[in-house]
Amino acid sequence: MSAVPLPPAVLSAPPLRWTNRFAALGGSFYTALPAQGVPDPHWVAVSEACAADLGLPPDWWQREEWQALQVFSGNALWPGMQPLASAYSGHQFGVWAGQLGDGRALWLGEVDGPSGPRELQLKGSGLTPYSRMGDGRAVLRSSIREFLCSEAMHSLGVPTTRALCVTASPLPVRRESIEGAAVCTRVAESFIRFGHFEHFTHTAQDHEALRRLADFVIDAYYPECRDAPLPHAALLENVARRTAELMAHWQAIGFCHGVMNTDNMSILGLTIDYGPFGFLDAFDPGHICNHSDHQGRYAFARQPSVAFWNLHALAQGLLPLFDDGDQALEALEPYKTVFPQALQSRMRAKLGLAVERDGDTALIDGLLKRLAADRTDYTIAFRRLAQFSSADGAGNHAVRDLFVDRDAFDAWALQYRERLRAENSDDTQRAAAMNRVNPKFILRNHLAQEAIHRAQSGDFGEVQRLLKVLGRPFDEQPEHEAYADFPPDWAQHIEVSCSS
Ligand code: AMP
Ligand code: MG
């Protein structure tokens, strides 16, 4: 099937103001080109929350539905949009991969929204000069996963790129089998990756462009670095700090990214490029969510050290801007303290500990050890722990029953009770605080799978329903109790790989 031509109608501009700062960097950074359209596009899902964040009023969205469908399928442009594919490189699975770039993503422009400037990007909109062996397309299954998880992570309070909508088309796309094409529209303050910096140092060997990129990132996103004695060192340090915070978020929430290549690392410390990700069901530090990751390089427990490795790759990419390498290495040092502190603070909150005390690390590790030994469901265990009573003789059956080795749990529970008493913890207040940080609803693989299954036969209701449930992850939603349940047995056999 060939691409459809642009519709003849002249599109009226939506009420958006375009700023397009990345496009102003010039031709060394990207190739300007239009999207390749798709035949007969239709809607799969829209995130009204994301639309509101851009400043699109809900009534506008409905009024201009046809226009929006064409634009977000890659069949048309609104005035002010400046489509382009950016050039980047990167390390994949620890090995230098050379030039990569937006092989199937297309930057549409930057909107000055009510929450600040936001870039819009199509994913799956056809070939670009960076497509290499790929077809520039994305399939429905992976687009639904990215859409739902981006919005779910945002609602969980985890820094992330967001997703505005998904459209689909009968255009056939070849993966392991023939699937339907889809386009996911992503939204972020910036889509710049570590790999953009590596590109200008190692691939293009254009240090002037490297400097312009670094200065652009400082001016646009890290203005606090501008007046530092060494602005580029300050930039690297701030990226290291944000990355450390992101890793603490992931580890505390039980999120496994799956492909932490340097081209999938955001310069703003956002979760980016949702592929074979997964939330932990049973707690297993060695969990590998990516079926293609045979060595387990990106296993759950390794994520924080992989992020530090990736920061070293970024430091190397920035090296031409430093007088000596030690300055770059020094800028990474804070990661070693920021990450463990941020993680401990998140884990203390998950246990409902209001203050920091000696022995907290051992108490947290003791629980994680029990969870791992019994392969207890991570999300359900923390949610139930909120109901823990510190009263004498309390059975605490709801949480205790999750463990196989009850004696071992009882021994831990005794320490926990003493620790709660030591800070005069009030059970009711603590439960409320814990329920604000321990989600009840997460995007488990089997939930995504069910929504995808139905979408593949033309029923998109489940995608929209899941989006709504995951939009309030910390609230009790009695009518949606089933979404908070243990995964079914078949969930263990879901295989998610890089093929998307
Ligand atoms: P990923 O593993 O999805 O982060 O992709 C790594 C690189 O491969 C990036 O440069 C992508 O743009 C590119 N890529 C992945 N899938 C495709 C595809 N179907 N067509 C073209 N490029 C792709
Ligand atoms: Mg990627």
Side-chain angles (χ1 to χ4, degrees), residues 88 92 100-105 123 127 130-138 175 193 259 261 263-264 273 498 500:
Y88 56 80
Q92 298 187 317
L100 303 166
D102 293 327
R104 55 172 169 171
K123 182 169 175 180
L127 292 170
Y130 313 105
S131 298
R132 299 178 297 148
M133 311 297 283
D135 56 6
R137 294 296 176 191
R175 294 293 179 263
R193 302 139 191 274
V259 205
N261 295 333
D263 52 301
N264 290 339
D273 279 10
C498 284
S500 59

Side-chain angles (χ1 to χ4, degrees), residues 66-386:
W66 182 85
Q67 273 202 27
L69 177 60
Q70 300 306 321
V71 169
F72 296 125
S73 302
N75 289 349
L77 289 173
W78 280 316
M81 284 180 161
Q82 239 176 303
L84 58 89
S86 77
Y88 56 80
S89 297
H91 284 83
Q92 298 187 317
F93 290 89
V95 179
W96 176 244
Q99 177 166 319
L100 303 166
D102 293 327
R104 55 172 169 171
L106 199 72
W107 192 91
L108 290 178
E110 184 189 44
V111 166
D112 195 9
S115 331
R118 293 286 183 275
E119 295 180 356
L120 266 71
Q121 199 182 66
L122 300 181
K123 182 169 175 180
S125 53
L127 292 170
T128 79
Y130 313 105
S131 298
R132 299 178 297 148
M133 311 297 283
D135 56 6
R137 294 296 176 191
V139 295
L140 184 62
R141 119 187 96 77
S142 64
S143 305
I144 289 176
R145 279 172 55 86
E146 171 140 24
F147 172 79
L148 286 175
C149 200
S150 310
E151 290 303 277
M153 290 286 264
H154 173 74
S155 299
L156 287 165
V158 181
T160 179
T161 63
R162 296 195 61 182
L164 180 63
C165 57
V166 177
T167 68
S169 154
L171 181 78
V173 175
R174 182 179 292 279
R175 294 293 179 263
E176 281 86 2
S177 60
I178 302 290
E179 301 185 49
V183 178
C184 179
T185 302
R186 310 195 285 191
V187 176
E189 281 175 86
S190 169
F191 287 97
I192 296 177
R193 302 139 191 274
F194 289 10
H196 280 97
F197 293 88
E198 295 179 275
H199 179 75
F200 290 106
T201 301
H202 308 309
T203 309
Q205 299 183 0
D206 179 348
H207 296 176
E208 207 34 59
L210 174 72
R211 184 177 299 278
R212 283 181 57 210
L213 181 64
D215 290 344
F216 168 72
V217 169
I218 289 174
D219 290 341
Y221 311 109
Y222 290 93
E224 67 276 20
C225 298
R226 176 50 62 216
D227 297 326
L230 297 169
H232 298 125
L235 170 64
L236 185 55
E237 179 178 332
N238 277 274
V239 175
R241 287 177 182 278
R242 283 207 203 177
T243 306
E245 294 286 349
L246 181 68
M247 289 308 113
H249 270 288
W250 286 4
Q251 301 309 111
I253 213 90
F255 176 80
C256 201
H257 180 281
V259 205
M260 288 178 68
N261 295 333
T262 58
D263 52 301
N264 290 339
M265 296 291 294
S266 151
I267 201 69
L268 299 185
L270 308 173
T271 314
I272 191 170
D273 279 10
Y274 292 88
F277 67 84
F279 284 86
L280 297 182
D281 291 322
F283 184 66
D284 172 11
H287 179 68
I288 304 162
C289 63
N290 179 355
H291 196 65
S292 321
D293 182 7
H294 306 294
Q295 309 293 322
R297 179 179 174 85
Y298 300 137
F300 176 71
R302 297 190 64 175
Q303 298 187 122
S305 36
V306 169
F308 196 44
W309 191 96
N310 289 343
L311 282 162
H312 280 85
L314 174 64
Q316 258 187 357
L318 286 167
L319 223 47
L321 306 182
F322 288 83
D323 291 335
D324 73 88
D326 287 348
Q327 290 171 345
L329 283 178
E330 264 168 46
L332 298 181
E333 276 300 295
Y335 185 90
K336 294 182 190 164
T337 45
V338 174
F339 166 70
Q341 277 166 11
L343 180 61
Q344 286 304 304
S345 137
R346 293 199 173 278
M347 295 310 292
R348 265 200 308 278
K350 284 177 80 69
L351 266 72
L353 305 178
V355 296
E356 187 178 346
R357 281 178 180 256
D358 286 347
D360 286 353
T361 305
L363 185 73
I364 294 164
D365 288 349
L367 178 61
L368 294 178
K369 214 169 139 197
R370 296 289 4 118
L371 292 170
D374 293 350
R375 295 181 69 84
T376 311
D377 189 276
Y378 185 72
T379 302
I380 294 178
F382 276 102
R383 191 70 184 187
R384 289 204 190 166
L385 196 62

